[in-house]
Amino acid sequence: GSTGRPKGVAVPHRALTTTYLGQDYARFGPDEVWLQCSPVSWDAFALELYGALAFGGVCVLQPGQRPDPQAVTELTRRHGVTQLQLSASLFNFLLEEFPETYDDLKVAFTAGERASVTHVGKALDQYPGLVVANGYGPVESLGLTTCHRATAEDAAGSSIPIGHPLHGKAVHVLDERLRPVPDGTTGELYAAGGGLALGYVGRPGLTAERFVASPFGAPGERLYRTGDLGHRTVEGVLEITGRIDDQVKIRGFRVEPGEIEDALTRHPSVGEAAVSVHEPAAGDRRLAAYVTAAAGATRAPDPDALLDHLAGLLPEHMVPATLDVLDALPLNQNGKVDRRALPAPAERSAAAPADPLTRDQRLVADAVRDVLKLAEDLGPDADFFRIGGNSLAAVRVAMRLSQETGTRVPPQVVFRGRTVAAIAERLAPR
């Protein structure tokens, strides 16, 4: 789910059979080798498992519950993986840092986020025999709902289409009164067909809000309101243009900024809160939080304390990379928070101490500085995730440390250590 409160999605067996049987969006058969690298809580996991086992193929299991780019590359090459399903962020990262991953692949899916035109074009150019498929679909319409085989013409445009619905599934582009809009006109995407979930477990109100009666099908048929905006071209190809609400995608996860704002305002030191997306570099999307002090407060809120507060309430991908304290949130002429007027996040300070760092601490500090492009030295207590780090940046730090030490440093060393000193302590003796 996209919120801090998990919600189970009840998926019937027919959603599985509709999504994986009688389809041609992937190569299914006994000669195919899939790599299972998606967390089991992501519905994409089902394609990696059933895409192999339902057709007599091979499913290679990656250890752990967090995709490890280095492990993905090693397993793909060692076991002759033919098809790989990746979030768009991971697809892009592997192409930049581990391009050998794609050497022998037959099909690479980019999914979960809007595909990068630049990276899709690069993959098609460098690997002429590779099929790059752009998949789209919320868990409420299990797995992929649409799929598009990218072309060089797509890579020359402004976006990669999401294509056509899978067999047995449908997507309608409708206005606010559930009327179809003309081709080329933006509307909300509604999913239909055999892939639909039954609803949200134990949450009938939310189920009724998102799963609505279909005006096009037989009695009892339903549509799922995706909240995504898009249009259908004159050729019948679907394209995504945005969201109808404030939901954003961060490294493949759906995030509702309002959920983070609510969690922040539960803290007694906070008056108001706003959360936006900051993109310091192309494809590197980070959450940025802004707060004001509660009425009557004698001192400003402590950013570190607030981030610790969020870490205890929300999953890791929903904890902002930065948090700034403002005198007041900017408002537009309607009195609403003007997110476009929020300032760029301030750089977090983690100055070096008077005492020199140890050799390993200096190694870690330099790696973190280079990866996060920081200008200042770091102290032993500098928290990687407090100064702008995220999961893909942690992989880059681990790669840098592996090169410097001559031993493999898994990303978990960075995730579990967090601070410069703690990461250094986890490095193997040399």
Side-chain angles (χ1 to χ4, degrees):
S2 59
T3 68
R5 176 188 175 189
K7 54 179 181 288
V9 179
V11 176
H13 288 172
R14 70 170 177 272
L16 285 169
T17 57
T18 298
T19 304
Y20 305 119
L21 301 183
Q23 300 290 354
D24 58 6
Y25 60 88
R27 294 162 55 110
F28 296 109
D31 296 328
E32 301 303 320
V33 181
W34 294 77
L35 176 65
Q36 179 274 304
C37 60
S38 298
V40 295
S41 60
W42 190 21
D43 62 324
F45 169 86
L47 174 58
E48 298 165 346
L49 182 67
Y50 295 113
L53 301 188
F55 301 92
V58 174
C59 180
V60 178
L61 304 179
Q62 181 203 268
Q65 277 302 299
R66 188 187 295 273
D68 178 343
Q70 189 168 347
V72 168
T73 301
E74 292 174 353
L75 292 170
T76 296
R77 293 175 65 81
R78 184 192 314 160
H79 295 282
V81 171
T82 61
Q83 299 190 78
L84 199 55
Q85 178 181 233
L86 305 162
S87 69
S89 293
L90 186 53
F91 177 94
N92 302 344
F93 182 86
L94 290 172
L95 195 60
E96 296 290 345
E97 305 291 346
F98 294 97
E100 64 272 21
T101 309
Y102 298 90
D103 284 348
D104 300 314
L105 274 182
K106 305 302 181 185
V107 181
F109 287 89
T110 174
E113 305 165 279
R114 294 187 70 174
S116 165
V117 174
T118 299
H119 289 88
V120 168
K122 183 176 181 180
L124 293 173
D125 181 60
Q126 294 185 357
Y127 305 94
L130 178 68
V131 172
V132 178
N134 185 27
Y136 163 81
V139 63
E140 292 86 350
S141 176
L142 181 76
L144 300 184
T145 303
T146 71
C147 194
H148 177 74
R149 179 171 177 169
T151 66
E153 289 74 18
D154 296 327
S158 59
S159 65
I160 305 297
I162 61 171
H164 299 275
L166 274 56
H167 301 312
K169 299 191 178 188
V171 174
H172 302 281
V173 187
L174 309 177
D175 64 14
E176 65 277 3
R177 297 176 64 181
L178 298 185
R179 298 175 303 188
V181 301
D183 291 346
T185 302
T186 297
E188 184 175 358
L189 305 188
Y190 285 74
L196 286 195
L198 300 176
Y200 301 108
V201 178
R203 302 187 67 177
L206 184 60
T207 297
E209 176 187 340
R210 304 302 297 185
F211 292 85
V212 300
S214 172
F216 313 111
E221 289 191 19
R222 301 173 304 152
L223 304 174
Y224 170 69
R225 298 183 55 195
T226 68
D228 290 316
L229 295 174
H231 64 265
R232 184 174 272 108
T233 68
V234 292
E235 293 82 14
V237 178
L238 289 162
E239 295 186 349
I240 291 282
T241 56
R243 286 287 303 177
I244 201 168
D245 52 24
D246 294 328
Q247 188 182 95
V248 296
K249 280 287 187 74
I250 300 293
R251 304 192 304 280
F253 294 98
R254 290 188 287 177
V255 174
E256 300 281 1
E259 293 288 333
I260 306 172
E261 294 165 358
D262 288 344
L264 280 168
T265 55
R266 291 182 218 165
H267 196 278
S269 70
V270 174
E272 296 178 295
V275 174
S276 66
V277 174
H278 173 55
E279 194 166 358
D284 182 14
R285 309 188 83 209
R286 305 178 184 180
L287 292 170
Y290 303 85
V291 300
T292 63
T298 57
R299 60 180 181 178
D302 180 350
D304 287 332
L306 290 177
L307 289 172
D308 287 338
H309 166 73
L310 290 179
L313 296 174
L314 302 173
E316 180 266 330
H317 64 269
M318 292 183 68
V319 178
T322 60
L323 190 147
D324 293 304
V325 180
L326 306 179
D327 293 332
L329 298 180
L331 305 178
N332 60 25
Q333 61 184 2
N334 296 324
K336 297 181 180 180
V337 174
D338 186 352
R339 298 180 190 278
R340 291 176 295 180
L342 289 166
E347 291 189 5
R348 303 299 306 279
S349 176
D355 295 333
L357 299 176
T358 67
R359 181 189 64 165
D360 284 349
Q361 289 174 353
R362 171 55 58 194
L363 200 65
V364 173
D366 288 346
V368 171
R369 282 185 59 206
D370 289 348
V371 169
L372 298 185
K373 296 179 172 56
L374 303 176
E376 59 189 5
D377 286 336
L378 302 178
D381 297 327
D383 187 314
F384 174 76
F385 292 100
R386 292 284 192 270
I387 55 177
N390 57 41
S391 58
L392 291 182
V395 173
R396 287 190 170 97
V397 170
M399 290 170 52
R400 168 72 179 270
L401 293 174
S402 297
Q403 295 169 353
E404 295 289 341
T405 62
T407 60
R408 184 170 185 269
V409 178
Q412 286 76 9
V413 167
V414 182
F415 287 114
R416 294 170 183 167
R418 299 184 65 100
T419 67
V420 168
I423 295 170
E425 289 176 0
R426 287 168 166 78
L427 296 180
R430 302 186 306 288

